[in-house]
């Protein structure tokens, strides 16, 4: 029996209890009780381990419902050219990376997320999913497993062009190939069968097509005159994704932007929407498309700066998670900062200081993120019977003193740097800000070497640019 105690325990349970001098009792990988410390101590005297104390706040493990594998090895690569960033990193991921790259990226990403209190995370394999072979997904998941973070691997059809080009390094030479829609469906199914539910459920796989309507521009909004007619290719793509998810019993995750929802609903039978789906981004979605999302029961996740009306979604009863959208080219894996960024963007854009109060923001990175991912029965709150995923924040810091209105302080001043201890399935995987399963030093040394080797070999050193000294606005002349 382990008891985790804190000056404050924020449960995010159905009653949204915030317990002063609280405690959580754990047995194996499960929570068995949550309540006042004196009550828990009296009910469970056979304690073998005590964690925490009056210097800590205890909250559910944070859940990042959308991010990208590969980002940890490409931070700031091409950051000065957002107009071409996707055109740089996508072929890089597909044609100039190795199994070693994806494995080490998994290690570094898991360490980064763990250090920010994330216990469960979504990892889309690349900017668009690389589903030409299963090896990359297996290697990346292995990295997460070694660190101890729960991982959802996102894999599925990569969208246009079809067949989709890729390359592997074999005996020192890059061997090119191309994958059809059926090829990528088959590889995704292989990964689902190999990985999904392993590590006692800590590794999952979601079917993750790059976008829900491949005929439209996949990385931004389409204007009304572009989003006119669903194609046969779109229908075939949607039907294949839905069929795979049904056959394998998995959920679906994908990107969508303005025009995608309206177009997909031209054929509801092949639309990648519904209660087994959570979508990311939504830039440019208008009120009509948001209502279609709400009517179909589709879940949603959102990163800072995305131009979509989250308050409208919430008013229509949609479940929305806040995410970091990976960590490249220029954002951290700090989910507390990301949630704050979601609110700040709406406040600034609408000149309205009242949307998304602290309680809603915390829900968006805990229980609502769990609901979006179909995992609310397992994670997202501190309740008896749920998996023992917990985060302890160190309150002995100037920016968290005085300590009062705990949820306000967590969502308005705290950040990933305050994370002290993390438990995943009852195991302490971060203690006093240090990973417990491995020494991060050799991992970071290997990541530095491998990242430089890969970028150099790919001829992308020019995309590691100067900082623009003296410029009020970035220019390249």
């Amino acid at each position: 029996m382990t008891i985790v105690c804190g000056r404050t325990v924020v449960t995010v349970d159905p009653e949204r209890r915030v317990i002063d001098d609280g405690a959580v009792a754990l047995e194996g990988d499960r929570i068995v009780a949550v309540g006042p410390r004196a009550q828990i101590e009296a009910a469970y005297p056979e304690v073998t381990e005590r964690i925490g104390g009056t210097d800590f706040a205890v909250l559910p493990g944070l859940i990042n419902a959308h991010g990208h594998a590969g980002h940890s090895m490409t931070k700031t690569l091409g950051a000065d050219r957002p107009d071409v960033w996707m055109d740089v990193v996508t072929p890089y991921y597909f044609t100039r990376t190795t199994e070693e790259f994806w494995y080490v990226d998994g290690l570094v990403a898991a360490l980064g997320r763990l250090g920010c209190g994330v216990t469960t995370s979504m990892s889309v394999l690349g900017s668009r999913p690389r589903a030409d072979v299963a090896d990359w997904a297996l290697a990346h998941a292995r990295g997460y497993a070694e660190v101890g973070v729960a991982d959802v691997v996102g894999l599925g059809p990569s969208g246009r062009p079809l067949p989709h080009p890729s390359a592997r390094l074999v005996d020192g030479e890059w061997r090119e190939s191309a994958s059809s829609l059926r090829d990528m469906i088959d590889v995704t199914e292989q990964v689902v069968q190999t990985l999904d539910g392993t590590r006692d459920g800590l590794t999952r796989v979601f079917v993750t097509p790059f976008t829900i309507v491949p005929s439209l521009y996949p990385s931004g909004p389409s204007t009304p005159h572009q989003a006119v007619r669903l194609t046969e290719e779109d229908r075939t793509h949607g039907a294949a994704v839905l069929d795979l998810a049904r056959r394998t019993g998995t959920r679906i995750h994908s990107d969508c932007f303005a025009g995608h929802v309206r177009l997909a609903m031209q054929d509801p039978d092949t639309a990648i929407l519904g209660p087994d789906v959570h979508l990311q981004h939504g830039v440019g979605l208008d009120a009509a498309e948001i209502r279609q999302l709400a009517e179909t029961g589709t879940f949603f996740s959102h990163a800072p700066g995305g131009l979509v009306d989250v308050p409208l979604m919430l008013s229509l009863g949609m479940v929305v998670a806040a995410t970091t959208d990976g960590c490249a080219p220029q954002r951290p894996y700090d989910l507390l900062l990301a949630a704050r960024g979601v609110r700040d963007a709406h406040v600034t854009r609408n000149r309205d200081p009242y949307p998304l109060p602290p309680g809603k923001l915390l829900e968006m990175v805990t229980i609502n993120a769990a609901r979006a991912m179909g995992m609310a029965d397992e994670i997202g709150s501190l309740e008896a019977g749920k998996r023992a995923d917990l985060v302890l924040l160190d309150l002995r810091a100037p920016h968290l003193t005085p300590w009062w209105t705990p949820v306000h302080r967590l969502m308005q001043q705290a950040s990933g740097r305050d994370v002290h201890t993390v438990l995943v399935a009852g195991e302490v995987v971060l203690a006093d800000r240090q990973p417990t399963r491995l020494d991060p030093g050799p991992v970071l040394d290997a990541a530095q070497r491998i990242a430089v080797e890969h970028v150099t070999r790919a001829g992308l050193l020019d995309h590691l640019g100067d900082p623009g000294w003296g410029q009020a606005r970035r220019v390249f002349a």
Side-chain angles (χ1 to χ4, degrees), residues 198-430:
T198 58
R199 300 169 57 210
D200 293 325
L202 293 180
T203 298
R204 298 283 305 278
V205 181
F206 287 179
V207 179
T208 307
F210 181 39
T211 180
I212 64 172
V213 179
S215 66
L216 293 180
Y217 178 61
S219 299
S222 296
T223 59
H225 77 277
Q226 294 168 325
V228 175
R229 186 173 296 105
L230 197 70
T231 70
E232 192 58 36
E233 175 192 47
D234 294 329
R235 290 183 172 87
T236 300
H237 170 271
V241 168
L242 293 172
D243 175 68
L244 175 59
R246 291 183 187 121
R247 286 190 291 105
T248 56
T250 52
R251 293 181 66 83
I252 299 173
H253 177 54
S254 187
D255 288 356
C256 85
F257 297 91
H260 290 196
V261 177
R262 181 178 291 106
L263 214 60
M265 285 301 291
Q266 289 183 4
D267 184 357
D269 290 339
T270 63
I272 303 175
L273 303 168
D276 294 325
V277 178
H278 83 279
L279 302 177
Q280 171 75 18
H281 297 307
V283 175
L285 291 175
D286 62 21
E289 287 189 285
I290 290 174
R291 290 190 181 91
Q292 287 179 312
L293 289 176
E295 290 165 2
T296 57
T298 304
F299 295 91
F300 197 77
S301 57
H302 177 70
L307 300 175
V308 63
D309 194 340
V310 170
L312 175 59
M313 290 180 168
L314 297 174
S315 73
L316 293 173
M318 288 184 63
V319 172
V320 182
T323 75
T324 62
D325 187 24
C327 65
Q330 51 192 8
R331 64 182 70 198
Y333 264 141
D334 192 326
L335 199 50
L336 293 174
L337 291 183
R340 203 138 69 230
V342 169
R343 178 188 181 274
D344 290 347
H346 282 80
V347 168
T348 301
R349 186 165 60 248
N350 299 326
R351 298 182 182 181
D352 174 7
Y354 298 105
L356 303 176
K360 174 53 68 177
L361 292 182
L362 183 55
E363 291 169 347
M364 290 171 71
V365 295
T366 55
I367 190 62
N368 282 0
R371 292 174 66 192
M373 298 174 76
M375 298 180 178
D377 291 341
E378 182 78 357
I379 57 176
S381 60
L382 301 180
E383 299 180 69
K386 286 196 172 184
R387 195 169 75 204
D389 292 359
L390 297 89
V391 174
L392 282 74
L393 271 65
D394 187 350
L395 303 182
R396 297 288 291 175
H399 62 286
L400 297 178
T401 302
W403 179 252
W404 53 40
T405 57
V407 177
H408 286 75
R409 304 311 301 282
L410 288 171
M411 303 314 298
Q412 293 178 349
Q413 274 94 26
S415 67
R417 66 176 176 163
D418 300 309
V419 172
H420 181 279
T421 300
V422 177
L423 290 82
V424 176
E427 177 188 351
V428 176
V429 291
L430 187 80

Side-chain angles (χ1 to χ4, degrees), residues 17-302:
R17 289 183 299 161
V18 177
I19 306 169
D20 292 329
D21 193 16
V24 184
L26 315 178
E27 187 70 61
D29 67 348
R30 294 288 131 179
I31 297 171
V32 296
V34 184
R37 182 184 60 81
Q39 177 182 316
I40 297 296
E41 294 273 10
Y44 300 96
E46 302 297 324
V47 179
T48 58
E49 182 180 25
R50 284 183 173 82
I51 299 171
T54 56
D55 289 339
F56 300 96
V58 181
L59 58 152
L62 304 181
I63 302 165
N64 197 340
H66 175 84
H68 291 271
H71 276 206
S72 287
M73 298 287 277
T74 57
K75 301 182 192 81
T76 68
L77 180 70
D80 298 327
R81 291 288 309 277
D83 57 321
V84 300
W85 185 78
M86 281 289 290
D87 295 333
V88 171
V89 297
T90 296
Y92 175 56
Y93 287 145
F94 271 87
T95 65
R96 289 299 179 267
T97 55
T98 64
E99 183 175 338
E100 182 182 41
F101 173 97
W102 294 104
Y103 165 62
V104 173
D105 178 83
L107 289 170
V108 175
L111 288 170
R113 281 172 154 165
L114 176 62
C116 291
V118 173
T119 54
T120 300
S121 59
M122 178 89 200
S123 301
V124 181
L125 202 75
S127 292
R128 57 177 68 197
R130 183 168 182 183
D132 53 311
V133 293
D135 298 0
W136 316 138
L138 303 181
H140 192 267
R142 190 167 72 251
Y144 268 83
E146 291 179 13
V147 174
V149 175
D151 182 32
V152 180
V153 177
L155 198 65
S158 306
R160 290 181 171 180
L162 285 177
H164 203 285
S166 60
R168 300 186 68 178
L169 188 62
V170 180
D171 298 329
E173 295 184 359
W174 292 103
R175 296 187 181 176
E176 297 181 355
S177 61
S179 301
S180 66
L181 173 63
R182 175 45 54 188
D183 293 333
M184 290 185 278
I185 290 289
D186 290 345
V187 167
T188 301
E189 183 168 7
Q190 178 186 348
V191 173
V192 171
Q193 293 173 343
T194 304
L195 282 181
D196 192 42
T198 58
R199 300 169 57 210
D200 293 325
L202 293 180
T203 298
R204 298 283 305 278
V205 181
F206 287 179
V207 179
T208 307
F210 181 39
T211 180
I212 64 172
V213 179
S215 66
L216 293 180
Y217 178 61
S219 299
S222 296
T223 59
H225 77 277
Q226 294 168 325
V228 175
R229 186 173 296 105
L230 197 70
T231 70
E232 192 58 36
E233 175 192 47
D234 294 329
R235 290 183 172 87
T236 300
H237 170 271
V241 168
L242 293 172
D243 175 68
L244 175 59
R246 291 183 187 121
R247 286 190 291 105
T248 56
T250 52
R251 293 181 66 83
I252 299 173
H253 177 54
S254 187
D255 288 356
C256 85
F257 297 91
H260 290 196
V261 177
R262 181 178 291 106
L263 214 60
M265 285 301 291
Q266 289 183 4
D267 184 357
D269 290 339
T270 63
I272 303 175
L273 303 168
D276 294 325
V277 178
H278 83 279
L279 302 177
Q280 171 75 18
H281 297 307
V283 175
L285 291 175
D286 62 21
E289 287 189 285
I290 290 174
R291 290 190 181 91
Q292 287 179 312
L293 289 176
E295 290 165 2
T296 57
T298 304
F299 295 91
F300 197 77
S301 57
H302 177 70

